[in-house]
């Protein structure tokens, strides 16, 4: 007899992400019900991220995922069939062992992530509880909270055709509820669109990969000033902070940081940030330096009274986070499950960071799908923050809309956390 939570089959297939590249959708069937998950994909990926397995060759510009899909259907499925789907740690342990490499390069982190997340959802469905409730039950340490959204309303770097060096200009609303934060984000976004249209013409409202505008400007301060103007014009002057993701590894060439027409040393860049922080309400800077420069991250964390978030430097990897904690680099962790390849490892990363009082910002990828998994993940692990792009494009809104639903279920909002 098949038990309710017993895994009876896995089915993986190719679907497409928001950039039109192949990705994986996996369904896990259990005795009573099923669960599916789709995997996102980054563009400004960290050097130490787990490996996304791509087919290479001509088809889909080498981005096909048929090998990763075959790994799920032929190698992973036979090992998981018969297991209890509620045993997330055991399932992920098998994935890690089957892969046997330090960076998931054999099976592909896209394959392991798809399976890991689909199992989690199948377990929640079979238990007939919300996904975040199930994620919370994997470890009982967390109090459910709806996180503060960080809206990426101007896209630069490798995410758009604009000349801005900084990859993301985000708006972090300062409100008492998530619904109100959405209102602020949406109104500022539309006001900014109107302003850009008037100033630069209609094409300035074209959007980048994460739904933010990609105007024809090239200076960091210009983008910041435009956003602040939109904040004021929309009547939300005291209701928003700014946040930047510099994704500095992308602008680091031959020992210098190329930004705003200058080639700066790490020291010069630090001074540049110092001035920005003095002049504008910036509360967070993500990846301010090259991903290997723990020392410079630590210097900035110590010197400035703002949040310093580690993305490419940590890649959701406990070893790198441990090192960061030791040398006091950053005070917040950007959490992306597919950077490490299993839910259990991502949760371990979050726990380690939380134990050292690092804040957690759960994150989407620039290549996304309509899967809202990270909304439940953020709530389930009690993360203070989430970034899911602009309030534009359905793959971005899928996460924000899910958080609206969770708030309506009665989960309280983190609110402002300073
Ligand atoms: P990515 O960008 O998904 O392209 O890596 C997101 C980020 O850098 O935070
Ligand atoms: Zn980043």
């Amino acid at each position: 007899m098949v038990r309710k939570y017993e895994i009876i089959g896995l089915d993986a297939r190719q679907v497409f992400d928001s950039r039109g590249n192949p990705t994986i959708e996996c369904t896990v069937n259990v005795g009573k019900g099923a669960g599916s998950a789709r995997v996102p994909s980054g563009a400004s990926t960290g050097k130490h991220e787990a490996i996304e397995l791509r087919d290479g060759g001509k088809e889909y510009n080498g981005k096909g995922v048929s090998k990763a899909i075959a790994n799920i259907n032929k190698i992973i499925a036979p090992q998981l069939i018969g297991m209890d789907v509620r045993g997330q740690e055991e399932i992920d342990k098998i994935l890690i062992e089957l892969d046997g490499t330090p960076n998931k390069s054999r099976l592909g982190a896209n394959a392991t992530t798809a399976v890991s997340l689909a199992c989690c959802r199948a377990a929640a469905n079979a238990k007939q509880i919300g996904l975040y409730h199930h994620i919370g039950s994997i470890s009982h340490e967390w109090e459910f909270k709806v996180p503060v959204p960080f809206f990426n309303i101007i896209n630069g770097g490798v995410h758009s055709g604009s000349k801005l060096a900084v990859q993301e200009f985000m708006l972090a609303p300062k409100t008492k509820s998530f619904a109100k934060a959405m209102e602020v984000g949406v109104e500022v976004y539309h006001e900014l669109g109107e302003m850009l249209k008037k100033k630069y013409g209609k094409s300035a409202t074209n959007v980048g990969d994460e739904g933010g505008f990609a105007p024809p400007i090239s200076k960091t301060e210009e983008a910041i000033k435009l956003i602040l103007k939109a904040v004021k014009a929309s009547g939300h002057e005291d209701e928003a902070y700014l946040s930047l993701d510099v994704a500095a590894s992308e602008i680091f060439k031959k020992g210098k940081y190329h930004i705003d027409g200058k080639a700066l040393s790490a020291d010069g860049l630090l001074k540049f940030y110092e001035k920005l922080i003095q002049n504008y309400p910036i509360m967070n800077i993500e990846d301010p330096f090259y991903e290997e420069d723990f020392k410079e991250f630590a210097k900035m964390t110590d010197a400035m009274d703002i949040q310093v978030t580690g993305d490419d430097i940590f890649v959701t990897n406990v070893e790198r986070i441990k090192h960061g904690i030791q040398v006091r680099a950053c005070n917040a962790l950007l959490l992306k499950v597919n950077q490490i390849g299993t839910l259990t490892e991502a949760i371990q990363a979050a726990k380690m960071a939380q134990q050292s009082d690092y804040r957690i910002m759960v994150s989407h990828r620039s290549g996304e799908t309509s899967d809202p998994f990270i909304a439940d993940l953020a709530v389930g692990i009690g993360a203070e923050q989430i970034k899911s792009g602009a309030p534009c494009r359905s793959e971005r809104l899928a996460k924000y809309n899910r958080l609206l639903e969770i708030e309506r279920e009665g989960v309280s909002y983190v609110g402002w956390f300073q």
Side-chain angles (χ1 to χ4, degrees), residues 167-168 245 247 286-287 311-312 334 336 387:
Q167 182 179 281
E168 301 172 19
D245 179 4
E286 179 183 328
D287 281 354
D311 174 11
D312 292 349
L334 199 81
K336 294 167 167 167
K387 67 168 190 176

Side-chain angles (χ1 to χ4, degrees), residues 229-371:
K229 216 166 148 195
V231 168
K232 196 168 172 192
S234 59
H236 294 297
E237 208 164 3
D238 299 318
E239 289 178 308
Y241 282 111
L242 301 184
S243 165
L244 306 177
D245 179 4
V246 182
S249 296
E250 300 291 335
I251 58 165
F252 186 68
K253 309 256 145 59
K254 294 187 186 151
K256 296 275 186 208
Y257 293 95
H258 296 265
I259 183 164
D260 294 8
K262 296 189 196 103
L264 299 177
S265 64
D267 235 25
L269 190 61
L270 190 67
K271 290 203 181 88
F272 174 78
Y273 294 143
E274 221 157 23
K275 218 168 130 209
L276 285 183
I277 293 160
Q278 270 165 16
N279 294 334
Y280 304 106
I282 296 169
M283 58 74 58
N284 173 46
I285 299 186
E286 179 183 328
D287 281 354
F289 297 100
Y290 172 58
E291 60 207 320
E292 306 291 18
D293 201 345
F294 280 78
K295 239 178 159 171
E296 212 57 50
F297 272 85
K299 208 160 137 191
M300 170 145 171
T301 311
D302 180 53
M304 292 179 201
D305 194 21
I306 64 160
Q307 180 173 315
V308 179
T309 303
D311 174 11
D312 292 349
I313 183 177
F314 291 148
V315 291
T316 315
N317 179 316
V318 286
E319 293 308 319
R320 292 185 70 87
I321 296 165
K322 200 188 287 172
H323 182 57
I325 291 168
Q326 274 162 5
V327 301
R328 296 171 198 254
C330 303
N331 47 30
L333 167 72
L334 199 81
L335 194 80
K336 294 167 167 167
V337 180
N338 78 326
Q339 276 183 330
I340 191 70
T342 65
L343 182 61
T344 300
E345 289 167 287
I347 285 176
Q348 280 165 356
K351 276 190 186 168
M352 174 178 280
Q354 281 165 330
Q355 277 158 10
S356 294
D357 290 328
Y358 279 47
R359 287 191 188 128
I360 307 289
M361 187 188 289
V362 171
S363 172
H364 66 158
R365 301 305 306 246
S366 51
E368 260 297 333
T369 76
S370 52
D371 191 334

